[in-house]
Amino acid sequence: MADHRQSAREAIRTSGFFSDDRIASSKQFVNPEQPGYVGFANLPNQVHRKSVKKGFEFTLMVVGESGLGKSTLINSLFLTDLYPEREIPGAAEKIEQTVKIDASTVEIEERGVKLRLTVVDTPGYGDAINSKDCFRPILQYIDDQFERYFHDESGLNRRNIVDNRVHCCFYFISPYGHGLKPLDVEFMKALHHKVNIVPVIAKADTLTPKEVRNLKARILEEISQHGIKIYQMPDCDSDEDEDFKEQCRLLKAAVPFAVVGSNQMIEVKGKKVRGRLYPWGVVEVENPEHCDFIKLRTMLITHMQDLQEVTQDVHYENYRSEKLAINKRRAGGAAVALGPSAAAGAAGAAGAAKEGPPEEKDKILLEKEQELQRMQEMLARLQQQMQQQQTTQVAGANNVQSHHV
């Protein structure tokens, strides 16, 4: 009997079911937290890991006349070279030059965080002799990105939507004038309800500190006078620390940002700094006492999420509501033109789509879209026939009058 028990223990031990490794592995899982702790306080960490793994997207547009240092400033902001093979046109080519849209995308990684940065440049803006309506291509580009996102969002595959909407627009203002030019006013009035506009005074090293303060006050006065809505940084929460509140106050007071850009490294007092060398001294780009470059970069980085949220919740929602209203009016006009039977059929298809399985829903929605397209084509043909009838009637009336004469 004892031998039988000994052999049974030996068989169990050799089987590995109650082996020492199995027991040790089961003892490794313990509750790391105190009793009464559920664990949902760890949810922000899960979101953080998922966001870092997915990466971030941001689209920045730069608008301004040629020669204001837009490309240099962008390269200085993100420490990269976005325009390695850029050609600058001559004065003769700029006479009849039209505005072009040049989008450059670069992948930036810093401490394991990936950023897909798209910089949209607008060469040719304000360079031609006749600059009337030169901002129309820019406006069309912003609407096209909204339309593209709207189409992807309304499609069947919504998992991998690439967000190319313009989240922020740096508008460069010339330091050589006495405020805003008429073109500056017209551009910002046309786009301030579609994109977050951040006014930037270019080449601030051409002005004295007093001239910079006067120009800032003048620009803000004209912006308020013309009813232009630029990007407003949000207020700090009451539970934020005092240093962050002071930083936000200084950033708000620096608008419009007077900046200097440079890609050259200059040695000053034994340290290499990014700046510009003049016979009377060195302008340090990253020195807050020399320009607002650091403030502009801090504003962009610390408010990048807010810029995306304002684009999504305000500008895109405005475009989306207008688009849906237009589509609704078109669908209503088509239903009226084709009669109540077609409208009832479309309503029945929509009700069936809500109740059926996913495959049936897709099929019904596709049939509904095809039916709406047929109704629109039929409406267009009816309108064309009505126009032809009106033309024929007018021609007949003219013939009768000429006959009486």
Side-chain angles (χ1 to χ4, degrees):
M1 187 69 178
D3 295 339
H4 179 70
R5 291 178 179 175
Q6 184 69 23
S7 60
R9 292 194 190 99
E10 188 67 23
I12 293 174
R13 185 180 295 110
T14 56
S15 66
F17 188 78
F18 291 109
S19 62
D20 295 338
D21 296 337
R22 187 74 176 261
I23 296 174
S25 62
S26 64
K27 290 182 179 179
Q28 290 179 359
F29 186 80
V30 294
N31 185 11
E33 303 295 342
Q34 299 176 356
Y37 177 82
V38 178
F40 57 80
N42 192 40
L43 290 177
N45 297 331
Q46 298 178 22
V47 176
H48 171 74
R49 289 194 296 269
K50 186 176 181 181
S51 300
V52 171
K53 183 179 179 180
K54 182 180 179 181
F56 300 90
E57 298 174 336
F58 191 79
T59 302
L60 174 66
M61 175 178 281
V62 289
V63 182
E65 300 176 4
S66 299
L68 293 181
K70 302 186 297 295
S71 305
T72 304
L73 179 67
I74 295 302
N75 292 336
S76 303
L77 276 175
F78 299 100
L79 302 178
T80 184
D81 188 7
L82 289 173
Y83 312 101
E85 300 178 356
R86 186 170 185 177
E87 296 181 359
I88 301 177
E93 300 177 7
K94 293 182 180 180
I95 295 178
E96 299 295 337
Q97 185 179 10
T98 57
V99 179
K100 296 186 296 183
I101 305 297
D102 184 12
S104 303
T105 303
V106 62
E107 299 282 347
I108 303 175
E109 184 173 355
E110 183 182 41
R111 297 181 182 178
V113 180
K114 297 180 180 179
L115 173 65
R116 178 180 174 272
L117 175 67
T118 302
V119 177
V120 182
D121 199 358
T122 56
Y125 173 82
D127 292 343
I129 295 178
N130 184 10
S131 297
K132 183 180 179 181
D133 295 337
C134 65
F135 53 83
R136 296 298 176 187
I138 302 173
L139 185 65
Q140 184 63 38
Y141 177 82
I142 296 175
D143 286 339
D144 290 344
Q145 302 313 309
F146 280 154
E147 176 65 26
R148 180 179 177 182
Y149 190 87
F150 178 79
H151 182 269
D152 293 342
E153 189 183 43
S154 304
L156 299 178
N157 185 12
R158 302 174 57 185
R159 295 181 180 179
N160 302 318
I161 299 178
V162 179
D163 187 6
N164 288 319
R165 296 172 297 179
V166 180
H167 302 112
C168 181
C169 174
F170 284 172
Y171 187 75
F172 285 73
I173 301 171
S174 174
Y176 310 121
H178 299 282
L180 297 177
K181 298 179 180 179
L183 181 59
D184 302 335
V185 175
E186 291 299 322
F187 172 84
M188 288 192 280
K189 287 176 67 175
L191 272 75
H192 68 127
H193 62 285
K194 292 181 177 292
V195 68
N196 300 309
I197 298 177
V198 178
V200 175
I201 301 176
K203 294 190 174 182
D205 52 342
T206 61
L207 303 172
T208 63
K210 183 178 179 181
E211 290 174 341
V212 169
R213 291 192 297 269
N214 293 338
L215 183 58
K216 284 187 175 184
R218 178 64 177 170
I219 291 174
L220 290 178
E221 179 183 354
E222 293 182 352
I223 287 176
S224 177
Q225 179 182 354
H226 293 284
I228 299 172
K229 298 179 181 179
I230 60 176
Y231 173 68
Q232 299 292 334
M233 285 173 272
D235 297 330
C236 298
D237 297 332
S238 58
D239 57 346
E240 297 286 353
D241 55 4
E242 295 299 328
D243 293 338
F244 185 75
K245 291 181 180 179
E246 180 65 16
Q247 182 189 72
C248 291
R249 187 189 65 82
L250 294 176
L251 291 178
K252 291 181 180 180
V255 178
F257 299 93
V259 299
V260 177
S262 176
N263 297 324
Q264 298 178 353
M265 301 300 293
I266 302 174
E267 186 172 350
V268 178
K269 297 180 181 180
K271 295 192 307 180
K272 285 193 174 183
V273 297
R274 192 180 299 271
R276 292 184 175 272
L277 179 62
Y278 293 102
W280 53 85
V282 176
V283 177
E284 299 179 23
V285 171
E286 299 182 351
N287 189 341
E289 297 181 358
H290 292 183
C291 67
D292 297 333
F293 176 84
I294 287 293
K295 296 178 182 178
L296 177 63
R297 187 168 66 185
T298 303
M299 184 280 301
L300 182 63
I301 299 303
T302 57
H303 293 81
M304 186 173 288
Q305 184 65 29
D306 184 69
L307 287 165
Q308 292 178 333
E309 290 178 357
V310 173
T311 301
Q312 169 68 28
D313 300 337
V314 179
H315 302 304
Y316 175 69
E317 284 301 320
N318 291 338
Y319 175 85
R320 182 174 177 271
S321 60
E322 292 176 1
K323 189 72 175 179
L324 291 176
I326 294 173
N327 292 343
K328 186 176 180 181
R329 287 196 297 269
R330 288 178 179 175
V336 170
L338 296 176
S341 58
K354 292 181 181 179
E355 298 175 358
E359 296 80 5
E360 190 68 21
K361 289 181 183 179
D362 298 341
K363 183 179 179 180
I364 294 174
L365 289 175
L366 182 60
E367 293 176 354
K368 179 184 175 183
E369 291 179 357
Q370 294 175 354
E371 184 177 358
L372 288 175
Q373 186 176 2
R374 288 194 299 269
M375 289 192 297
Q376 292 176 356
E377 293 175 355
M378 189 177 297
L379 177 62
R381 288 196 297 268
L382 289 174
Q383 291 178 349
Q384 185 177 3
Q385 291 177 2
M386 292 174 61
Q387 291 178 357
Q388 291 178 355
Q389 290 178 0
Q390 292 178 357
T391 305
T392 305
Q393 292 176 358
V394 171
N398 293 334
N399 292 333
V400 170
Q401 290 179 359
S402 59
H403 178 70
H404 285 306
V405 172

